[in-house]
Amino acid sequence: MRKQLLILSALFISVTVFGQKNELKTAEKAIKANDFVAATTALNKAEGLIANADQKTTAKFYYLKGKALYQNGSENADILKVGEAFNKLIDYEKETKQKYTNEFGALLNKLISSVAEKASSDYSLASETKEPADYMNAAKKFHQVYSLSPRDTSFLDNAALIYYFGKDYETSKKLYQKLLDLNYTGITTIYKATNKEDGKDITFNDKKAMDLQVKLGLAENPREEAKDSRREFIFKNLAQDYSVLENYSKALEVIAEGRKEFPKSYSLLIDEANVYYKLGDNNKFKERLEEAITLNPTDPTLYYNVGVMNMDQGKIDEAINYFDKAIELKPDYADAYNNIGAAMIEKVNPIIEEMNKSLSDFDKYDKLQAKQFEIYKQAVPFYEKAYEIDATNISVIQTLMGLYENLEMTEKLKAIRAVYDELKG
């Protein structure tokens, strides 16, 4: 019985091998006849039998599959599948015997150059139109280049960013996550030299090519420039994808991971602050802005935003101090002048409440009103400065009209009202 089983097993292997070779011959004939549908059908039948094939047959299968998908370079070819098939053969022959690698390598390089050129052209168009559909065309092609050449990770980086511009945040975040999983940094060395003929800089693919041009006397001033790591921005952009998709907890998780790697990242800190703002957590928003000030003490916007948070929390004097600092750093900061005026007027609220309780006590009422108007007088110069910087801000103009009317500043009221009427007219 055992002997019979062995004979059956041997017979099965013979039938399998015969089936493989028969389907491969069918596929090969179909490819030569440009009948890629028939070739694919035959290869699909052979694929289930390939696990037990020898090296020669397996390589032949991968080769024919790549050719069938490539379709002689037809525009109907699925670039992603072509790239996967080509690279699968090349990787397989690295471990065995190389027979088809050179042919596929040449086709692959041609395909990479063609698709990369189209990707750059589509991106140039998208940069002009700003249309999401145009960005998507470019993103897909950059993604295709990466699929054709997985070693060129920068194309995956480009695709992730351009998918974001195209508003495909789901694909963008998947690609950014893949970049992090691959430990991609984007650190590269750029080789440059100056063309002796026209004095313009030339960028070379490698040092050998640059040195050759210098040696031939065609270029001078050879130099190497290192591109900074992209990893910090990958964390940032991935968090932005999650934020746009309103997955704020995941955005904060990504930022926290990024800040562990880049603890002094001002950019990630600001993004974290913005996520807390979107969540309505003003306390943490303010905390992150105050932390950001320690990293970048010359950014007036930070002081302004912390001032706004202090105003919201009723800390008027603290708010004014932050607005003052913003103006010190940016003397034409109209919003900061406006908010100092607004913060001062906030101080009037308890006085007005007391006035409403003292309607029958005329002396007390008049004294309180005098305090009210004194605060208004202090606020006027700040609103006037805001108006001087931006004479089209209706809100500032309306506030000045109210202040001038309360303070009986008739001439100024008449002039600002004319401006208001003209803007509204």
Side-chain angles (χ1 to χ4, degrees):
M1 177 63 100
R2 183 176 298 172
K3 186 175 182 181
Q4 184 181 2
L5 286 174
L6 289 173
I7 291 170
L8 287 172
S9 176
L11 179 63
F12 175 74
I13 291 171
S14 297
V15 170
T16 300
V17 171
F18 177 77
Q20 292 165 354
K21 292 183 177 179
N22 192 38
E23 298 298 349
L24 293 184
K25 284 179 182 178
T26 301
E28 190 168 18
K29 288 179 181 178
I31 290 169
K32 288 178 180 177
N34 292 328
D35 188 349
F36 302 110
V37 174
T40 301
T41 300
L43 289 165
N44 286 340
K45 291 179 181 178
E47 190 160 15
L49 309 172
I50 208 69
N52 299 315
D54 57 28
Q55 182 273 329
K56 183 179 178 181
T57 304
T58 302
K60 184 71 174 284
F61 168 78
Y62 287 143
Y63 171 73
L64 293 174
K65 185 174 181 179
K67 294 280 280 187
L69 289 168
Y70 183 60
Q71 299 181 27
N72 289 331
S74 168
E75 290 191 0
N76 297 322
D78 186 326
I79 299 297
L80 298 183
K81 289 182 179 179
V82 171
E84 183 182 354
F86 278 21
N87 282 298
K88 195 162 189 176
L89 169 75
I90 292 169
D91 290 341
Y92 178 74
E93 290 200 334
K94 279 180 184 175
E95 305 298 325
T96 57
K97 180 181 178 183
Q98 291 192 11
K99 180 176 181 181
Y100 305 108
T101 292
N102 288 341
E103 181 184 342
F104 266 21
L107 289 175
L108 192 57
N109 288 335
K110 181 180 178 182
L111 202 54
I112 290 169
S113 298
S114 174
V115 179
E117 188 176 336
K118 290 176 183 176
S120 297
S121 177
D122 283 353
Y123 180 67
S124 295
L125 174 64
S127 298
E128 293 176 8
T129 66
K130 307 298 181 187
E131 290 292 330
D134 291 333
Y135 280 120
M136 285 297 292
N137 286 334
K140 288 175 182 177
K141 288 185 177 66
F142 276 113
H143 197 181
Q144 287 173 349
V145 177
Y146 169 73
S147 298
L148 293 169
S149 181
R151 294 171 295 280
D152 295 328
T153 334
S154 60
F155 287 105
L156 188 64
D157 190 357
N158 289 341
L161 178 62
I162 302 170
Y163 273 122
Y164 179 88
F165 292 154
K167 303 187 186 302
D168 185 350
Y169 307 111
E170 284 289 346
T171 304
S172 178
K173 74 179 178 63
K174 287 175 185 175
L175 300 194
Y176 276 127
Q177 185 60 58
K178 185 169 185 176
L179 286 165
L180 290 177
D181 293 342
L182 291 169
N183 291 318
Y184 169 76
T185 65
I187 298 174
T188 56
T189 302
I190 299 174
Y191 301 95
K192 286 185 177 181
T194 305
N195 188 321
K196 283 188 175 182
E197 187 175 339
D198 58 16
K200 294 181 180 179
D201 284 341
I202 310 169
T203 301
F204 298 91
N205 292 328
D206 51 47
K207 187 175 186 300
K208 185 177 179 181
M210 177 183 70
D211 290 344
L212 178 60
Q213 291 289 302
V214 173
K215 187 176 180 180
L216 293 172
L218 300 174
E220 60 186 357
N221 188 25
R223 56 202 182 276
E224 298 177 14
E225 298 177 3
K227 287 182 69 175
D228 293 335
S229 171
R230 290 269 307 147
R231 198 165 171 81
E232 178 184 345
F233 296 101
I234 291 169
F235 281 114
K236 174 185 174 67
N237 294 345
L238 177 56
Q240 285 182 343
D241 279 324
Y242 279 115
S243 186
V244 173
L245 293 167
E246 298 185 356
N247 190 342
Y248 299 121
S249 60
K250 189 63 179 179
L252 288 172
E253 183 183 316
V254 170
I255 290 169
E257 186 182 349
R259 291 195 66 198
K260 283 181 184 177
E261 201 166 316
F262 302 96
K264 294 184 179 180
S265 171
Y266 172 74
S267 179
L268 287 172
L269 182 55
I270 291 299
D271 284 348
E272 186 177 9
N274 287 331
V275 173
Y276 282 124
Y277 181 77
K278 289 175 181 177
L279 286 169
D281 192 337
N282 289 340
N283 285 329
K284 286 189 176 178
F285 174 60
K286 180 185 169 188
E287 286 173 9
R288 296 303 181 271
L289 290 181
E290 289 172 336
E291 187 179 349
I293 287 173
T294 65
L295 293 177
N296 188 8
T298 60
D299 185 348
T301 307
L302 292 176
Y303 293 94
Y304 174 82
N305 286 329
V306 174
V308 170
M309 289 297 100
N310 276 302
M311 274 188 71
D312 289 346
Q313 294 171 356
K315 300 175 182 177
I316 305 303
D317 289 332
E318 288 92 333
I320 291 173
N321 287 337
Y322 277 103
F323 294 139
D324 276 334
K325 183 64 179 179
I327 290 168
E328 180 184 322
L329 293 168
K330 185 182 177 184
D332 63 346
Y333 208 151
D335 287 340
Y337 283 107
N338 175 70
N339 277 17
I340 289 178
M344 288 180 169
I345 290 176
E346 285 285 318
K347 294 182 177 182
V348 169
N349 291 335
I351 296 174
I352 292 175
E353 288 179 13
E354 192 65 27
M355 287 170 67
N356 290 333
K357 295 176 185 178
S358 308
L359 296 174
S360 58
D361 188 338
F362 299 121
D363 288 340
K364 185 177 181 181
Y365 185 91
D366 288 344
K367 288 178 181 177
L368 289 169
Q369 189 175 61
K371 287 183 179 180
Q372 176 191 5
F373 287 168
E374 184 57 35
I375 292 173
Y376 285 168
K377 287 178 184 176
Q378 293 172 11
V380 164
F382 293 97
Y383 281 109
E384 288 180 336
K385 185 65 178 178
Y387 170 69
E388 178 187 321
I389 296 168
D390 181 6
T392 62
N393 191 319
I394 292 292
S395 176
V396 170
I397 291 170
Q398 288 175 321
T399 303
L400 279 172
M401 286 169 61
L403 290 171
Y404 289 154
E405 186 172 2
N406 274 284
L407 297 173
E408 297 182 352
M409 301 170 74
T410 309
E411 291 301 317
K412 286 192 173 186
L413 175 60
K414 183 179 178 181
I416 200 73
R417 183 170 284 152
V419 174
Y420 176 79
D421 290 341
E422 185 178 348
L423 287 173
K424 296 294 284 187

